[in-house]
Amino acid sequence: MDSESAAARVDVSKPHPARRYDYWLGGKDNFPADRDSADAVAEAFPTVRLAAVENRNFLRRAVTYLAAEAGIRQFLDIGTGLPTAGNVHEIAQGIAPESRIVYVDNDPIVLVHARELLNSSPEGATAYLDADLRDPDRILTHPDLTGTLDLTEPVALMLVAIMHFITDDEAPYGLVRQLCEALPSGSYLVMTHATNDHLTDEDLAETKLANKRSGVPFQLRSTAEFRQFFTGFDLVRPGIGSVMTWRPEVWRPHPRPEAVSMLGAVARIP
């Protein structure tokens, strides 16, 4: 892994979803272009920072469920983003030290920081792939993946807050299906996705303009459109709903679900 060549590829003049997300989470690995883009989205979607936090909380609960209750020991996290508290391997290996995790992202600045994703427990393993979700063949056949994960054993495919960056002209359902078809029975699909369910026509038009100003292609989807990603899979209770209310550890007052317009679900691949 050549972090120096990766650093040379970082274009700080253009916003990137991973760095923008880092900004919403209060991180420091972002640049003015990322912050400007994030602020443009926040103008139309004022609760976006809360959505980012709740999305991260969902990831933690989903990985905990998979490792502690479903017995999953392998995770493929595509669209990893910049390392932050509670990375997938830290959660999974905290429960089952033998867990094996492969991270995938296409932002060179994530590659620069990837060493923080590779501090595996002695019993387990982690790997990082510099690759794009839009090229599933490269991901699935990469020697670092095949050398880390056993694709004859169940894998949890994590697509957390990434599919809304894949617009309809990029065949999002086909990409997810291709990845899932490479995994054996008993694997799981974990997804979150920004939704337009609660937006008025006026709000939706404003959001589309804000996304255009942000410089990052982005597509909201309805619950019905989100559900299509799980066709033929067995949804884990409570099914599809707000990331805030998916298996909460303790009851706490929540803002209205429409304030955090982010859907989440976990499903078993039969």
Side-chain angles (χ1 to χ4, degrees):
M1 182 181 302
D2 189 346
S3 60
E4 290 187 5
S5 66
R9 289 165 43 210
V10 175
D11 184 352
V12 301
S13 68
K14 296 179 180 180
H16 190 280
R19 303 194 301 264
R20 193 170 71 175
Y21 190 61
D22 175 73
Y23 172 63
W24 284 327
L25 288 174
K28 299 178 180 178
D29 296 307
N30 49 75
F31 299 94
D34 306 306
R35 296 190 285 273
D36 290 345
S37 173
D39 290 341
V41 173
E43 286 180 13
F45 186 14
T47 59
V48 67
R49 290 177 178 82
L50 176 61
V53 170
E54 291 292 349
N55 183 73
R56 196 73 191 181
N57 289 338
F58 168 91
L59 179 145
R60 176 173 49 78
R61 297 195 305 273
V63 173
T64 297
Y65 163 77
L66 291 166
E69 297 186 42
I72 294 296
R73 298 294 179 262
Q74 301 190 110
F75 296 82
L76 174 55
D77 182 7
I78 302 179
T80 298
L82 285 154
T84 187
N87 297 301
V88 171
H89 74 282
E90 294 168 334
I91 302 165
Q93 292 181 348
I95 296 167
E98 70 274 22
S99 298
R100 307 173 75 83
I101 296 89
V102 171
Y103 294 106
V104 181
D105 206 290
N106 67 348
D107 185 354
I109 201 170
V110 180
L111 177 58
V112 170
H113 292 269
R115 67 178 64 88
E116 297 175 42
L117 301 172
L118 301 178
N119 57 344
S120 172
S121 65
E123 302 92 335
T126 61
Y128 179 87
L129 307 186
D130 180 24
D132 195 302
L133 169 62
R134 299 171 184 82
D135 190 358
D137 287 331
R138 170 176 164 76
I139 294 171
L140 293 167
T141 61
H142 197 287
D144 287 345
L145 183 144
T146 57
T148 305
L149 303 182
D150 178 357
L151 295 185
T152 67
E153 295 293 330
V155 176
L157 171 62
M158 313 286 297
L159 297 174
V160 175
I162 186 66
M163 289 309 299
H164 40 233
F165 297 112
I166 306 297
T167 53
D168 281 346
D169 61 326
E170 296 176 300
Y173 298 105
L175 290 172
V176 172
R177 189 59 48 167
Q178 183 176 348
L179 289 164
C180 290
E181 287 177 349
L183 306 179
S185 175
S187 294
Y188 284 80
L189 171 62
V190 180
M191 285 186 63
T192 66
H193 198 297
T195 182
N196 56 12
D197 279 354
H198 309 291
L199 298 180
T200 65
D201 290 344
E202 182 179 349
D203 289 339
L204 183 57
E206 186 178 350
T207 298
K208 288 180 178 179
L209 288 174
N211 287 334
K212 187 174 181 179
R213 289 196 302 272
S214 77
V216 176
F218 191 89
Q219 183 161 346
L220 299 169
R221 292 187 172 94
S222 67
T223 294
E225 290 171 312
F226 182 64
R227 189 179 298 277
Q228 291 180 46
F229 287 111
F230 298 92
T231 299
F233 301 162
D234 301 320
L235 286 164
V236 173
R237 295 176 65 184
I240 292 172
S242 168
V243 292
M244 296 185 301
T245 56
W246 193 90
R247 291 179 171 253
E249 289 129 339
V250 294
W251 184 90
R252 58 191 174 95
H254 287 291
R256 294 169 300 155
E258 56 265 34
V260 179
S261 296
M262 186 75 71
L263 298 169
V266 176
R268 186 179 184 275
I269 300 172

